[in-house]
Amino acid sequence: MPSYTAPTRDMQFVLHDVLNISASSIPGYDELDRDFTAAILDEAGKIASEVLSPLNPVGDREGCTLENGVVRTPEGFKAAFETVRQGGWTSLDCDPDYGGQGLPYLISTAVGEMFSASNMAFNMYQGLTHGAYNAIHAHGSDAQKRTYLPKLVSSEWGGTMNLTEPHCGTDLGLIRTKAVPQDDGTYQISGQKIWISAGEHDMVDNIIHLVLAKLPDAPDGVKGISLFIVPKFLVNEDGSLGERNALSCGGLEEKMGIHGNATCVMHYDGATAYLVGEPHKGMRAMFTMMNEARLGVGLQGYAQGEVAYQNALGFALDRLQGRDVTGTQAPDKPADPIIVHPDVRRNLMDQKAFVEGARAFTFWGASMIDAHVRAEDADAEQMISLLTPVIKGFLTDKGFETTVLAQQTLGGSGFTREWGMEQFVRDARITMIYEGTNGIQALDLVGRKLAQNGGKAIMAVFDLMKGYIKDNAGQDAEFDAQFLDPLKAASKDLQAAGTYFMQHGMKAPNNALSGSYDFMHLFGHVCLGLMWARMAKAAKAGVDEGRGDTAFLEAKLATGRHYMSRHLPMTATHLARIRTGADTVMALEPEQFASAAG
Amino acid sequence: MPSYTAPTRDMQFVLHDVLNISASSIPGYDELDRDFTAAILDEAGKIASEVLSPLNPVGDREGCTLENGVVRTPEGFKAAFETVRQGGWTSLDCDPDYGGQGLPYLISTAVGEMFSASNMAFNMYQGLTHGAYNAIHAHGSDAQKRTYLPKLVSSEWGGTMNLTEPHCGTDLGLIRTKAVPQDDGTYQISGQKIWISAGEHDMVDNIIHLVLAKLPDAPDGVKGISLFIVPKFLVNEDGSLGERNALSCGGLEEKMGIHGNATCVMHYDGATAYLVGEPHKGMRAMFTMMNEARLGVGLQGYAQGEVAYQNALGFALDRLQGRDVTGTQAPDKPADPIIVHPDVRRNLMDQKAFVEGARAFTFWGASMIDAHVRAEDADAEQMISLLTPVIKGFLTDKGFETTVLAQQTLGGSGFTREWGMEQFVRDARITMIYEGTNGIQALDLVGRKLAQNGGKAIMAVFDLMKGYIKDNAGQDAEFDAQFLDPLKAASKDLQAAGTYFMQHGMKAPNNALSGSYDFMHLFGHVCLGLMWARMAKAAKAGVDEGRGDTAFLEAKLATGRHYMSRHLPMTATHLARIRTGADTVMALEPEQFASAAG
């Protein structure tokens, strides 16, 4: 059975040595000193290792069951949920006005990585509840906040997001679910929603569904969508639970992974609903939570990579097979541990270099969300808005890839259920799809975010890169050669791609959109390159000053060099692809695609 | 439910327009004219589409069951097996002396692609039988051949290969299974084997296990391994089945995919066995079948890519979502089919370009095996021996990647069981692992094959590339620019990688082995680049001369340009990685890998 150890040392390194958070001016960050964050991370790490990780294969094996409208979660989930709830882990970054602890989002991000890595399907229940909390907190009336938020913060109640219908996922303008106004100011919602994570389950007393629907007078398309609160049980004036609402779970989806999470078909049959915010402005309300939700999915991607890497490493240290080609390492054993073999090592280094870079990138992104939300920093908002599709798309693609690499480390054992590696692959796979497929992320990035405000955000990135390189160059020839030079080259590729889009994408948008996926990856590499340069600099300072754990810091430097020399060169290939524009991508008529058959 | 249509038109194009097989001097190829191969491919395609494809999800859902030592295959498998057997599909390339049809291996490769694409788990039963047939045919005594081959050829009996034990997979020198000589010239085999595909099942009357074991006087390591025939039922003098042998299936492995194939734990408890070939020469015997077996796995990889692509395409043509950014395509519908979107198109083109290139590469490789086996062509043997790890490693990595891309085309539907795409991903995953993990393929390529005979084989590849470019340059400026120039650049990268290995890998082998995986991929791209150039040339000739289906041929040209401009540039990144040698890959002490935790 796989295990999980919380990477607290690395998280502390990122929080304090790289991001230097306690020196930040973001409100609330001043109390985040090393001891404080260590205490939180250690406690969360214990829950993750001891409570959530052992339940991960259980959830996969058992899945959820639906009987007479009741969804049962896997054995042990409910008890674990109580442990997490009572430990206060569900309310870390929630508003103290509603019972939250008011900690920065950055802290709940670090804890979220641990919970997600150790049991992604389990942690999704809480993730969805947090999404509903966010939506009501941002857009609900005062009365709605008072009614729903305290119980969502305490996780006595759960929450869901209802967007997709059978005929529409990405294109929400096609939604058919109807909301009919009633005389008492409420609405009646009717329609079918699919793929509703945590839509029905047995771990909470009530479930607050947030549902996108159309009013009778709604304009066509996405500008005619409204957002509603539709509770499973109506809530009485005094906060007690009232009658059961006219909604039900009509089925559970059988899927590739995340079996421990109930993916529900939801039927709304004239269910009582309450409008959130203004009529027809539901999509806008959804979009305000999007940065956080998408960053959360990017996190899920690399978190599965992290736990897969840990278990691949354990196997590589234990499994004896073959001999080190440069000389036997374990003469007293029938063979050497496979970690002696260069290709096993290459594989592990690739995993490690990605996961650590992704963690730093994500934490940096979370700190921008804090800067925006807590300090109303418009520059931070602009930056994180641009980076969000990169975090979501790049980190989930590479996170999935990392689980596949880790599975490969185990050879045949990786393919068996028993060793648990294949679950990481199957679970990670959804992160590339939900919360907007990665193709949609690329479209959002190139089709919307790049050009927003006259391209101010991407210009800010170019300035940031240039500024970083300028500020850090010329102090250490080795650092320059190993980190700054490759970063400079990669940044140039990013800029050249932007120039290509400007020159060829304005008149013929397909030239830009055909390169959108490559641009997302190119951008992701540049961001990880920047994070690795920053981490290397921090590690080098630690080594030079004799601070911290030298073996750890030197591993950091070597892993950074691995990323810079072996992964960052991918930017050149992405640029080459981008520069071919729509030429070959759009060359075929639809019917020519199938011409090989028949 | 997914469907499958045999890509006969494309296969015919490769066989006749590209490889021009009926003009080949390989014995047996002269009868392979267009009509003859069309007849075979059409019939095989019908079996694949109508019989095997509908059973594919059934096999995945039901899996195999073990009860009282009896393994039951999924509902419908046995009847389908009878259909395939009685149609003569199991004996295509077998020796007529034992009831085979004596057709070239190339033909059984084309049919194998169809059967494997439509139902990989099902087709493995036959694949293993064919492996046992090959082993006995190549190394068995005349008596053994007479006893076992006719029933293996007719598939009344099945066959297996027993290599792996719990403590050893790659490193077969560690084998513990013992073979004790008996007075009557037989042996008694005792030991446990794991991961034995088709080790026990209900579709055949007898199963002929080929088992690697050690004789009492065996030298240590791989030089002390012998190969044995161990039948499930002993065979009487008259060919009838005798007593049940002392072997049994002790369990079925639960695994990520290929659920329809029984992966068995096999117990040998003093089972009667017959030595194949000479004592201690078992590994050599195994290796003679390796090119064919590994080519067969490479084929499985891209075959899953093919069927996944077909179903992704079907979805992209049907699913309505969003509008073409350059103008509405289906004004009478609520949205356009998603194939209008550039990123969907990019994804489909990537799938198509890989699968068609892989098919041509594999068929070319199969023709070299025919040249070696049927015409004793030593150059062909040398070439296919070098290319085998590339075919196996590169085509399975990319084949798996293609199933993931195809799954992505379906968005959320791709993650559900119902649509069947996730099965292709799970099934394809094993191809990167079995028959030697892809890391082992890379090691075989760089650690053995490159240097063999003073590097003659790789020199022959360089000559081949140079010769091809020289022979075809200067006739058509467009073809030169689109195909030959990129091919030349990629070949140079391959040669530069070889030079790097020579200069840095001789004294310090880790410098070469750290780049082995990248070299395998670099080489794979160059081979697909060559195949695309050859296909483009053939397609261009067809268009110019007004032969064939113009829409198909023009699609071929555009798809080739896509590969050359968007995929071949990867060689530069692989070269950059290779040139970093062991520097970062081997930088960490084993204990530093885990230093982030705790």
Side-chain angles (χ1 to χ4, degrees), chain A residues 5-10 165-171 174 195 253-259 309 313 317 319-322 324-326 334-335 339-343 345-346 348-349 352 356 359 400 404-405 407-408 411-418 422 425-427 429-430 432-433 437-439 509-510 513-518 550-552 554-555 558-559 561-562 565-567 569-570 573 576-578 580-581 583-590 592-598, chain B residues 5-10 165-171 174 195 253-259 309 313 317 319-322 324-326 334-335 339-343 345-346 348-349 352 356 400 404-405 407-408 411-418 422 425-427 429-430 432-433 437-439 509-510 513-518 550-552 554-555 558-559 561-562 565-567 569-570 573 576-578 580-581 583-590 592-598:
Chain A
T5 308
T8 43
R9 188 176 309 167
D10 199 50
E165 300 180 8
H167 64 289
C168 71
T170 298
D171 189 353
L174 303 175
W195 303 342
E253 209 72 52
E254 285 197 68
K255 49 202 194 298
M256 185 184 192
I258 51 166
H259 293 153
Y309 164 68
L313 174 60
L317 291 166
R319 174 77 171 173
L320 307 175
Q321 208 79 176
D324 187 336
V325 67
T326 65
I339 199 167
V340 305
H341 303 305
D343 188 63
R345 202 70 81 96
R346 185 258 329 148
L348 290 170
M349 286 299 289
K352 183 173 163 64
E356 294 180 10
R359 174 175 298 124
F400 171 75
V404 173
L405 291 176
Q407 182 186 26
Q408 192 72 10
S413 299
F415 197 66
T416 65
R417 285 271 167 90
E418 185 188 349
E422 57 97 40
V425 175
R426 288 185 290 103
D427 286 357
R429 184 64 184 88
I430 189 60
M432 297 154 70
I433 297 172
T437 64
N438 287 357
N510 284 350
L513 299 180
S514 296
S516 59
Y517 213 90
D518 280 289
T550 311
F552 166 79
E554 285 184 340
T559 310
R561 288 193 292 116
H562 186 79
S565 62
R566 285 198 165 234
H567 293 277
M570 262 310 288
T573 298
R577 285 183 192 154
I578 287 166
T580 67
D583 175 23
T584 67
V585 169
M586 303 303 287
L588 299 189
E589 294 299 320
Q592 279 181 297
F593 279 87
S595 62
Chain B
T5 308
T8 43
R9 187 176 311 168
D10 198 49
E165 300 180 8
H167 64 291
C168 72
T170 297
D171 189 353
L174 304 175
W195 303 343
E253 208 73 53
E254 287 197 66
K255 49 202 195 298
M256 185 183 192
I258 52 166
H259 293 152
Y309 164 67
L313 174 60
L317 291 166
R319 174 77 171 174
L320 306 176
Q321 208 82 176
D324 186 337
V325 66
T326 64
I339 199 166
V340 304
H341 303 304
D343 189 64
R345 201 68 82 97
R346 186 260 327 149
L348 291 170
M349 285 299 289
K352 182 173 164 64
E356 294 179 10
F400 171 75
V404 174
L405 291 177
Q407 182 186 25
Q408 192 72 12
S413 300
F415 197 66
T416 64
R417 285 271 167 88
E418 185 188 350
E422 57 97 40
V425 175
R426 289 185 290 102
D427 286 356
R429 184 65 184 87
I430 189 60
M432 297 154 69
I433 297 172
T437 63
N438 287 357
N510 283 350
L513 298 180
S514 296
S516 58
Y517 213 90
D518 280 290
T550 312
F552 167 79
E554 286 184 339
T559 310
R561 288 193 290 115
H562 186 79
S565 62
R566 285 199 164 233
H567 293 278
M570 261 311 288
T573 298
R577 285 183 192 154
I578 287 166
T580 69
D583 174 23
T584 67
V585 169
M586 303 302 288
L588 299 190
E589 294 301 319
Q592 278 181 299
F593 278 87
S595 62

Side-chain angles (χ1 to χ4, degrees), chain A residues 262-297:
Chain A
T263 307
C264 302
V265 176
M266 296 301 298
H267 295 300
Y268 295 90
D269 305 302
T272 300
Y274 311 97
L275 182 68
V276 180
E278 290 173 58
H280 317 317
K281 305 287 188 195
M283 284 303 282
R284 216 169 56 181
M286 279 287 160
F287 271 101
T288 53
M289 279 91 61
M290 207 158 266
N291 289 342
E292 196 172 311
R294 292 184 167 177
L295 184 138
V297 176

Side-chain angles (χ1 to χ4, degrees), chain A residues 178-360:
Chain A
K178 293 267 175 253
V180 180
Q182 305 297 302
D183 292 341
D184 62 357
T186 67
Y187 296 78
Q188 281 199 355
I189 296 252
S190 300
Q192 190 192 29
K193 294 285 180 175
I194 61 168
W195 303 342
I196 307 310
S197 299
E200 174 59 39
H201 63 93
D202 57 0
M203 303 198 293
V204 290
D205 299 330
N206 197 9
I207 298 178
I208 311 306
H209 299 285
L210 286 167
V211 181
L212 292 183
K214 290 201 158 187
L215 292 166
D217 61 340
D220 276 351
V222 291
K223 289 183 178 161
I225 297 173
S226 304
L227 178 65
F228 297 89
I229 290 173
V230 194
K232 177 178 166 185
F233 290 102
L234 299 180
V235 181
N236 297 324
E237 285 285 316
D238 64 357
S240 63
L241 296 186
E243 65 177 306
R244 172 82 194 222
N245 207 349
L247 61 92
S248 60
C249 170
L252 293 178
E253 209 72 52
E254 285 197 68
K255 49 202 194 298
M256 185 184 192
I258 51 166
H259 293 153
N261 198 276
T263 307
C264 302
V265 176
M266 296 301 298
H267 295 300
Y268 295 90
D269 305 302
T272 300
Y274 311 97
L275 182 68
V276 180
E278 290 173 58
H280 317 317
K281 305 287 188 195
M283 284 303 282
R284 216 169 56 181
M286 279 287 160
F287 271 101
T288 53
M289 279 91 61
M290 207 158 266
N291 289 342
E292 196 172 311
R294 292 184 167 177
L295 184 138
V297 176
L299 176 149
Q300 288 180 325
Y302 84 77
Q304 287 303 297
E306 163 74 31
V307 68
Y309 164 68
Q310 289 186 14
N311 286 280
L313 174 60
F315 186 90
L317 291 166
D318 279 352
R319 174 77 171 173
L320 307 175
Q321 208 79 176
R323 289 293 185 191
D324 187 336
V325 67
T326 65
T328 293
Q329 297 294 316
D332 53 327
K333 292 184 178 157
D336 290 336
I338 61 170
I339 199 167
V340 305
H341 303 305
D343 188 63
V344 172
R345 202 70 81 96
R346 185 258 329 148
N347 189 342
L348 290 170
M349 286 299 289
D350 287 351
Q351 297 169 43
K352 183 173 163 64
F354 164 70
V355 169
E356 294 180 10
R359 174 175 298 124

Side-chain angles (χ1 to χ4, degrees), chain B residues 428-451:
Chain B
R429 184 65 184 87
I430 189 60
T431 64
M432 297 154 69
I433 297 172
Y434 64 16
E435 199 58 41
T437 63
N438 287 357
I440 291 296
Q441 304 300 323
L443 178 64
D444 177 47
L445 177 64
V446 170
R448 282 183 66 235
K449 302 285 176 67
L450 272 192

Side-chain angles (χ1 to χ4, degrees), chain A residues 21-159:
Chain A
I21 55 171
S22 52
S24 159
S25 63
I26 299 170
Y29 272 44
D30 50 341
E31 56 174 323
L32 303 179
D33 62 26
R34 276 181 200 268
D35 290 345
F36 183 81
T37 58
I40 293 183
L41 297 179
D42 284 345
E43 281 309 305
K46 274 185 211 157
I47 304 260
S49 302
E50 295 166 17
V51 180
L52 305 188
S53 171
L55 277 181
N56 194 44
V58 177
D60 186 57
R61 212 168 44 237
E62 287 189 16
C64 297
T65 51
L66 170 67
E67 219 174 302
N68 301 325
V70 178
V71 172
R72 272 182 224 296
T73 52
E75 180 74 35
F77 267 44
K78 197 169 176 172
F81 196 78
E82 272 307 296
T83 303
V84 170
R85 213 178 71 71
Q86 286 173 9
W89 297 106
T90 66
S91 63
L92 286 175
D93 65 338
C94 294
D95 188 340
D97 285 352
Y98 305 100
Q101 298 172 59
L103 285 167
Y105 174 63
L106 176 60
I107 297 302
S108 74
T109 298
V111 172
E113 185 201 308
M114 294 181 182
F115 288 3
S116 189
S118 55
N119 198 327
M120 177 169 152
F122 176 90
N123 199 48
M124 284 174 64
Y125 289 100
Q126 178 47 30
L128 270 301
T129 301
H130 202 270
Y133 158 85
N134 273 342
I136 297 173
H137 192 263
H139 302 284
S141 66
D142 285 344
Q144 287 170 341
K145 290 186 196 181
R146 279 194 309 273
T147 305
Y148 300 105
L149 292 187
K151 299 284 193 182
L152 290 172
V153 168
S154 70
S155 275
E156 287 164 272
W157 297 353

